[in-house]
Amino acid sequence: MASPIYSFVVPIYNEEQTIQELYRRLSVVMDEMDGPVELVLVNDGSRDTSLSQMRNLAQEDKRVCYLSLARNFGHQVAVTAGLNFARGEAIVVLDADLQDPPELIPEMVKQWRQGYHVIYAQRVRRRQESWFKRSCAFIFYRLLNRLTDVKIPNDTGDFCLMDRQIVDLLNRLPERNRYIRGLRAWLGFRQTAIPFERDPRFAGDVKYTFHKSLALAIDSLVSFSKVPLRIAIYLGLFSALIALVMALLVLYWRIAQPNSPVTGFATILIAIFFLGAVQLVSIGILGEYTGRIYEEVKNRPLYTLSEVGGFSTRPAERRSQDYMNIQSAESN
Ligand code: UDP
Ligand code: MG
């Protein structure tokens, strides 16, 4: 196959119910593209039949290639792995559950042809997602924007088309904490949005539990903002101020009304608890940052691969040597 112009990268975690439909809808789009396409499926340690379905697809369709991470590394890492291996000039990232409609891709390509480097899809509406999830997302994106210097567009996910240049730069960013939509915004270049309505999930359960979403939210805040550290300082200053006011009050009572019983017991308890809280919160914030420094310093590879298939050209093979111990990608 000629080297692909377009790469579609899809992270997959226990999506056995959607893969066939995903492939069906993607192949309609792939057939319509004006150049060779490769479909890079990334298995993020699925425990169902996803991987064997991916193998079959790669057998049947030369355009399909796949990587299999050796365990579940999480969505962002799975996408990163896909980006490491994608060979196209324009790379599209989309979810497996068809919440990101593949039919939007030709429109993205149009913008890419006009010279945009990043074309990201921006949700104007989410259908059938819970009220709770929608409001959390709404608040989070706005909060994130207030706290960061990089302008990370509201209500955008990872669904986007990126130019080769952008993906090369992304691949070269050293950090382990990969909040892709943030890094993508940080890179700059010409970026534009395409509005879309987010469809409900095709089948299966949401893989992003509340816990995972919260972790992603904290990750993104900490890796793109130093404001939380400053909040710790403000909290400290604020509690110092309260302490000062209390001290002055006590002094005043002692001098002006020597007989008034300053009921110290409750006051002291409150002060102790308050200070304790401020300190714990501040240490927690510090910990978040230190923990990330620790992660970066360890310098482990982002992921390990247990299997690679369908890639026919050398570069992918060479790259895969870095991540696993098997001899040749072809042998699968
Ligand atoms: N996903 C993944 N690894 C994970 C969790 C999710 O690769 O640990 C994939 C999942 O298969 C899907 C995409 O990431 O293709 C988005 O997940 P999901 O639809 O559950 O989350 P949403 O973004 O809709 O909340
Ligand atoms: Mg989804």
Side-chain angles (χ1 to χ4, degrees), residues 15 95 97 99 129 133 198 201 206-207:
E15 303 281 6
D95 282 358
D97 58 0
Q99 284 199 284
E129 283 188 20
K133 183 162 183 169
R198 195 153 208 237
R201 189 171 237 290
V206 187
K207 306 300 179 305

Side-chain angles (χ1 to χ4, degrees), residues 274-285:
F274 181 68
L275 269 181
V278 168
Q279 285 172 358
L280 286 178
V281 168
S282 309
I283 293 173
I285 295 173

Side-chain angles (χ1 to χ4, degrees), residues 31-82:
D31 292 341
E32 282 169 3
M33 302 301 277
D34 57 4
V37 185
E38 66 171 0
L39 175 57
V40 182
L41 302 172
V42 185
N43 173 35
D44 186 15
S46 301
R47 269 180 241 102
D48 59 3
T49 62
S50 298
L51 178 59
S52 58
Q53 291 191 45
M54 286 157 63
R55 281 191 204 117
N56 290 341
L57 285 178
Q59 289 261 312
E60 287 161 17
D61 186 339
K62 282 277 150 281
R63 298 171 297 182
V64 179
C65 22
Y66 66 92
L67 331 164
S68 186
L69 306 191
R71 63 170 170 86
N72 179 249
F73 280 90
H75 179 210
Q76 301 290 305
V77 174
V79 172
T80 305

